[in-house]
Amino acid sequence: MRVDPVRVDMNSAASAADDKPRPARRPVIGICARTAPVTLQGSALTVSLALQTHVTYVAEAGCTPLLLPLLDGVGEQLADRIDGLLVPGGPDVDPRLYGQRPHPATRAMTPDADRAELALIRAVLDARKPVLAICRGLQLLNVLHGGTLHQDLAEVTGHDGHRPPADAFVLGRRPLKLLPGSRIAGILPEAEPETACHHHQAVDRLGSGLAATGWADDGTVEAVEVVGHPFAVGVQWESGQTADKRLHHALARAAGPHAQ
């Protein structure tokens, strides 16, 4: 009995493989790292880190979180390799970046990290990729656009409700007024949203090319958006310190098309 050998047309096989739909790539969301001193196994160390809820919320939204160290040149190197950027809370912005001297209440400044982070935000904005800027992130977004900050908000508002005094980290709760039709109002459509905040600085002079789209009951700017950008939103409250994931999911949706 004769058995003919099986002949395989390698070109046809390769062509068939090419015709198969490839699985969509998960969008990559860069998360700006923060540095902090820790003690590990008895040794004092300085580490780069991110709040775990930011990592978790981004991953749950179908994206791959990527921690970005704030080093010189990181913006130019990585802006084209990520599909969106999350700029979390952190230390006070160096007031020399907006032409002021440090107030006695301004602390924990990191000038080199400030400059690296500003360059990264600018590179991602220029690439028309989505940005979610939280707390310090909003302040950096404002400074990047030529704005200034109130260095000690209690001197302006007459109260410390945005950062309640306590030995532990405590969130202040302030009612929000959102601009109808704004992107942030579309993400948080409830009639009476509320902030969960912990900050002692805030927008003073609004930067050029930004629109204020949310305010606390005392007039403090709580949300801004970059005019004409597909998705560049800054919020002053501590998104990521509560169970509300809507802002992270909105960032993920905006990043999706860049992963194609």
Side-chain angles (χ1 to χ4, degrees):
M1 176 177 177
R2 178 181 176 183
V3 179
D4 291 331
V6 177
R7 296 181 179 179
V8 178
D9 187 334
M10 298 303 295
N11 291 330
S12 297
S15 177
D18 290 341
D19 290 340
K20 291 182 179 179
R22 297 180 180 179
R25 178 174 66 81
R26 288 169 64 93
V28 176
I29 300 295
I31 302 177
C32 295
R34 298 288 171 245
T35 57
V38 301
T39 300
L40 182 64
Q41 296 181 340
S43 297
L45 305 171
T46 299
V47 301
S48 294
L49 50 80
L51 191 65
Q52 183 59 40
T53 47
H54 289 319
V55 174
T56 300
Y57 291 175
V58 164
E60 288 179 351
C63 298
T64 298
L66 177 66
L67 190 66
L68 303 179
L70 297 182
L71 303 174
D72 186 37
V74 69
E76 295 81 352
Q77 296 168 11
L78 294 179
D80 62 343
R81 302 187 183 185
I82 60 176
D83 304 304
L85 179 67
L86 192 157
V87 188
D92 291 338
V93 179
D94 183 359
R96 286 173 283 261
L97 292 172
Y98 50 92
Q100 295 183 13
R101 293 182 177 180
H103 185 281
T106 299
R107 54 186 173 76
M109 293 176 291
T110 54
D112 290 343
D114 289 347
R115 288 175 176 82
E117 197 161 19
L118 286 167
L120 173 59
I121 297 169
R122 168 50 62 200
V124 175
L125 289 175
D126 287 347
R128 307 290 287 173
K129 294 180 180 179
V131 175
L132 173 59
I134 297 170
C135 197
R136 164 188 160 93
L138 178 149
Q139 295 165 15
L140 283 168
L141 197 61
N142 191 50
V143 171
L144 180 65
H145 286 81
T148 63
L149 304 177
H150 295 300
Q151 291 193 53
D152 191 37
L153 188 56
E155 291 184 347
V156 179
T157 62
H159 65 83
D160 52 16
H162 291 272
R163 189 179 68 174
D167 293 335
F169 186 89
V170 176
L171 295 172
R173 302 285 178 170
R174 313 295 304 181
L176 271 175
K177 179 181 179 182
L178 301 181
L179 180 68
S182 64
R183 185 174 296 279
I184 190 67
I187 299 170
L188 307 176
E190 58 264 36
E192 297 182 358
E194 185 182 66
T195 67
C197 58
H198 189 91
H199 63 99
H200 79 110
Q201 300 193 339
V203 169
D204 180 7
R205 186 182 72 244
L206 188 66
S208 176
L210 296 179
T213 54
W215 301 264
D217 55 336
D218 57 14
T220 300
V221 174
E222 290 284 335
V224 302
E225 300 175 23
V226 178
V227 176
H229 194 279
F231 186 102
V233 175
V235 298
Q236 187 57 74
W237 61 89
E238 293 286 349
S239 179
Q241 295 279 3
T242 71
D244 192 339
K245 310 173 185 179
R246 288 176 291 177
L247 281 166
H248 295 75
H249 285 218
L251 172 65
R253 289 193 297 273
H258 296 279
Q260 302 303 319

